[in-house]
């Protein structure tokens, strides 16, 4: 299944592909201070694929905090938080934010509150490599 989405103004587009039905996909409510302020819900599928297309790269704000292992992609024009990306050895792994997807309402599993604050940097990178979606970032 293919899910399209992105920010509000069109500067950032995403296409999330997964064989898992959205109604069956785990939805995570990360409890970190950034995600709580956004009330963001995230999904990923390590067997899936995420394409992030930067239609206007100048509008993309990458934000890092804490252990600084991932880039949080926000649109600085319209304010939408779209995805978070880990880069390791030239590979990208990402989560996509449910509300940035056009069919957000189909991701209907009750959100799991996820607290990763106990992780050290190695554990955080390992979890993301194993659980996040392989991703590519394009700037056409
Ligand atoms: Zn935007």
């Amino acid at each position: 299944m293919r899910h399209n989405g992105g920010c509000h103004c069109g500067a950032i587009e995403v296409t999330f592909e997964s064989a898992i039905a959205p109604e069956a996909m785990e939805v995570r409510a990360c409890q970190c201070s950034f995600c709580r302020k956004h009330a963001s819900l995230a999904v990923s599928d390590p067997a899936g694929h995420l394409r992030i297309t930067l239609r206007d790269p100048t509008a993309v704000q990458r934000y890092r905090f804490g252990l600084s292992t991932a880039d949080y992609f926000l649109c600085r024009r319209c304010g939408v938080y779209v995805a978070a990306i880990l880069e390791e050895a030239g590979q990208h792994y990402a989560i996509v934010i449910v509300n940035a997807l056009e069919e957000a309402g189909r991701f209907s599993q009750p959100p799991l509150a996820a607290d990763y604050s106990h992780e050290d940097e190695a554990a955080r990178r390992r979890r993301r490599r194993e659980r996040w979606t392989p991703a590519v970032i394009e700037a056409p």
Side-chain angles (χ1 to χ4, degrees):
M1 263 166 276
R2 177 176 291 203
H3 307 284
N4 297 315
C7 72
H8 189 261
C9 73
I12 308 171
E13 291 178 2
V14 290
T15 304
F16 176 41
E17 293 179 67
S18 173
I20 303 170
E23 294 82 2
M25 189 171 290
E26 179 181 288
V27 175
R28 292 188 298 274
C30 175
Q31 296 299 298
C32 84
S33 53
F34 178 84
C35 292
R36 280 192 287 106
K37 284 178 186 284
H38 282 277
S40 56
L41 302 175
V43 290
S44 64
D45 176 2
H49 185 262
L50 182 70
R51 179 179 305 276
I52 301 171
T53 304
L54 308 180
R55 294 283 172 207
D56 181 356
T58 65
V60 179
Q61 181 68 53
R62 290 172 168 84
Y63 178 63
R64 287 191 171 200
F65 64 97
L67 297 175
S68 291
T69 49
D71 283 316
Y72 291 71
F73 276 50
L74 302 112
C75 181
R76 63 172 70 153
R77 184 186 297 139
C78 69
V80 174
Y81 168 35
V82 175
I85 293 107
L86 168 74
E87 181 174 358
E88 284 231 317
Q91 301 294 313
H92 292 93
Y93 305 87
I95 51 168
V96 64
I97 302 307
V98 171
N99 278 338
L101 297 171
E102 290 169 7
E103 297 190 296
R106 292 185 61 193
F107 293 81
S108 51
Q109 286 290 312
L112 294 174
D115 182 351
Y116 304 114
S117 59
H118 60 283
E119 291 175 332
D120 63 13
E121 181 174 341
R124 183 152 304 171
R125 289 180 179 275
R126 183 167 59 248
R127 170 176 53 80
R128 288 169 170 168
R129 280 197 310 270
E130 291 172 353
R131 299 194 63 191
W132 284 18
T133 309
V136 296
I137 303 171
E138 289 184 341

